[in-house]
Amino acid sequence: MPTANILVADDAAEVRDLVTQYLTDLGYRVKTAYDGERAIAFISKQPFELVITDLQMPRADGLEVLQAAKARDPNTEVVILTGNPTLESAIGALREGAYDYLTKPVENLDVLRHVVESALGHRSLVLENQRLMEELRALNASLSSRVTQQTGQLRDAYQQLQSLDQMKAQFVSVTSHELRTPLAQLFFTADLVRGQLEENSIAGAQAHLADLVSQGQRLRRLIDNLLDFSQMDRNEFELAVGECHLPALVNSTVELWRMRIEKKRLQLEISMPERDIVLNADSSRLQHALGQLLDNAIKFTLPGGRIVVGAHGPMRAPWPEAGPSFFVVMAVADSGVGIPPEKQQAIFKAFTQVDMSDQRKFGGLGMGLTIAARIVSAHGGRIMLKSEPGKGSTFAIWLPIR
């Protein structure tokens, strides 16, 4: 149940009351202010985890409220509301440290809820990262002192450092959230400029904007992967199991990636059984896992190449320990560059790619297959790989029917 203290400042009573009532119903403790001066007075008297403020208010505007909140506690998150968004006001608010920027009227409360939860989650991660960094500094100071006094204790200290793996995962999580501010700025700027250009019908500029949005979506995918990996590394990974129709899942996943497939001029073939395949699973997670395999196939297949995506089963698993159980299979095959035999196990490790040199041709963080494998493993299945350099790869997700 949420317990955060939130301040809502807006001179429009209907907006203020709507946001306050919605957040109160969600379980938050909410204070309201009808102008900027009163909001600043509240901030001076008590701490708030989150401040939601209108940009234009009498007596003191939203930027002054933002500055007051950050002056009291730099970790207080601030979300700006405005009915008249401009590029200048958006950039100004984000530069001052605002977490996000929403337009009024607030018609989609789910969006508001998502922004509030994201802001509070970001604050928690930052505070946790600060705590961990303090622990790291203290540990380093202690190790230095002990090494100076007795070098033999260094072996014990090294063993203690192994426990810092979890800190690494949490640091990755905070880093990914820190990337969100420039990402929000990128999308907001693109949307504003797109609106201006649409009025003048400048087709060439529209095409450049489409590329800008595409790059922003790529950056978002990288951040999502960082967040997923961090969540899994902290054992906070849960499945929402329900009825999953495999052919529908495969088709919907392909549609998400079809534009990239066509843009790269790849041949696509979809192979499906005549009847439906149903199993109990987390459809969203499995779609994410299959999407990682598709992403890899697109990335490592040259223009004009071929990708085959399909679902099959039920069938027996090819490994002995699977026993008499029946499995269903989702597979992605490509005619790409292939993977050498000695690298086929390593690519499932985090931050690992076949080519890890500075001159590598293919980008990415090397986390997609790690995430996919963990999702499949959580379902009691496994990913099988067949590949030959220069001839392509086939990744098959085997899932038990329960």
Side-chain angles (χ1 to χ4, degrees):
M1 188 73 176
T3 58
N5 292 307
I6 299 177
L7 174 62
V8 176
D10 199 307
D11 58 328
E14 63 277 9
V15 175
R16 188 175 65 246
D17 293 344
L18 174 65
V19 173
T20 299
Q21 185 61 54
Y22 180 66
L23 295 179
T24 300
D25 290 343
L26 291 177
Y28 295 106
R29 295 188 291 267
V30 185
K31 257 193 179 315
T32 61
Y34 50 77
D35 62 29
E37 187 174 89
R38 187 169 179 83
I40 293 172
F42 281 140
I43 290 169
S44 67
K45 293 177 182 178
Q46 75 170 88
F48 292 94
E49 284 82 11
L50 174 64
V51 174
I52 301 174
T53 177
D54 187 14
L55 186 61
Q56 297 178 339
M57 293 186 292
R59 305 175 76 178
D61 63 23
L63 290 182
E64 292 175 274
V65 173
L66 186 157
Q67 291 164 356
K70 291 293 184 180
R72 179 181 174 91
D73 180 1
N75 293 319
T76 297
E77 298 295 354
V78 180
V79 174
I80 297 293
L81 295 175
T82 183
N84 300 298
T86 65
L87 179 60
E88 183 179 356
S89 64
I91 299 301
L94 293 170
R95 283 179 176 170
E96 289 290 337
Y99 178 77
D100 213 336
Y101 193 99
L102 297 177
T103 57
K104 296 192 298 183
V106 183
E107 296 177 342
N108 190 334
L109 293 177
D110 285 338
V111 172
L112 174 63
R113 178 175 184 169
H114 173 73
V115 170
V116 168
E117 290 175 350
S118 296
L120 293 173
H122 174 260
R123 182 179 185 276
S124 297
L125 288 168
V126 169
L127 292 174
E128 179 67 5
N129 185 60
Q130 291 173 353
R131 183 186 71 78
L132 292 173
M133 293 305 295
E134 285 299 320
E135 288 186 7
L136 277 172
R137 280 191 285 269
L139 179 59
N140 285 335
S142 173
L143 287 174
S144 297
S145 175
R146 291 172 62 189
V147 167
T148 302
Q149 295 172 10
Q150 190 177 2
T151 57
Q153 294 182 0
L154 187 59
R155 294 185 188 90
D156 296 334
Y158 178 78
Q159 294 301 318
Q160 294 176 24
L161 287 175
Q162 305 309 303
S163 66
L164 297 181
D165 248 358
Q166 185 178 359
M167 294 184 186
K168 177 199 70 176
Q170 292 178 335
F171 178 77
V172 169
S173 178
V174 173
T175 302
S176 62
H177 277 283
E178 288 296 308
L179 291 172
R180 191 184 185 283
T181 297
L183 182 62
Q185 194 170 343
L186 182 151
F187 278 113
F188 189 84
T189 304
D191 285 340
L192 286 175
V193 177
R194 187 195 294 275
Q196 295 170 356
L197 293 178
E198 283 177 345
E199 295 176 2
N200 297 320
S201 299
I202 305 176
Q206 288 283 19
H208 288 301
L209 277 178
D211 289 338
L212 180 63
V213 172
S214 175
Q215 290 302 316
Q217 290 170 340
R218 177 177 177 272
L219 180 56
R220 175 177 285 167
R221 286 197 298 272
L222 292 176
I223 293 173
D224 287 343
N225 280 346
L226 282 168
L227 292 174
D228 285 341
F229 175 78
S230 175
Q231 187 183 54
M232 293 174 180
D233 224 36
R234 298 198 309 274
N235 295 320
E236 296 177 0
F237 175 70
E238 295 181 357
L239 297 179
V241 176
E243 191 176 83
C244 175
H245 296 263
L246 231 57
L249 185 147
V250 172
N251 283 323
S252 62
T253 305
V254 169
E255 288 308 311
L256 292 174
W257 296 89
R258 186 178 291 277
M259 186 176 295
R260 277 188 61 197
I261 293 171
E262 293 176 351
K263 185 176 182 180
K264 202 170 179 181
R265 303 188 307 279
L266 300 173
Q267 302 173 45
L268 174 64
E269 180 182 331
I270 301 176
S271 174
M272 290 292 180
E274 294 182 358
R275 62 185 184 84
D276 195 8
I277 302 176
V278 183
L279 70 158
N280 289 323
D282 186 329
S283 298
S284 177
R285 295 287 190 185
L286 287 183
Q287 184 177 67
H288 189 39
L290 183 61
Q292 298 289 358
L293 302 188
L294 257 175
D295 183 31
N296 261 27
I298 296 168
K299 185 189 303 180
F300 294 106
T301 303
L302 299 178
R306 182 167 174 261
I307 293 176
V308 180
V309 186
H312 311 281
M315 62 182 71
R316 302 280 190 186
W319 59 92
E321 58 269 31
S325 301
F326 283 94
F327 286 70
V328 293
V329 181
M330 293 187 295
V332 177
D334 63 63
S335 61
V337 296
I339 304 165
E342 67 274 11
K343 297 288 185 72
Q344 291 183 15
Q345 291 299 320
I347 60 171
F348 288 96
K349 296 179 181 179
F351 308 107
T352 301
Q353 291 192 353
V354 173
D355 181 5
M356 296 298 292
S357 69
D358 293 337
Q359 292 78 35
R360 59 181 179 167
K361 298 179 181 179
F362 306 101
L365 296 176
M367 292 190 303
L369 290 178
T370 304
I371 292 170
R374 293 192 183 185
I375 291 173
V376 173
S377 177
H379 284 83
R382 65 170 61 180
I383 298 179
M384 305 289 287
L385 167 62
K386 292 182 180 179
S387 184
E388 187 175 342
K391 294 187 178 180
S393 305
T394 298
F395 288 87
I397 296 175
W398 288 74
L399 298 166
I401 299 177
R402 295 172 176 171

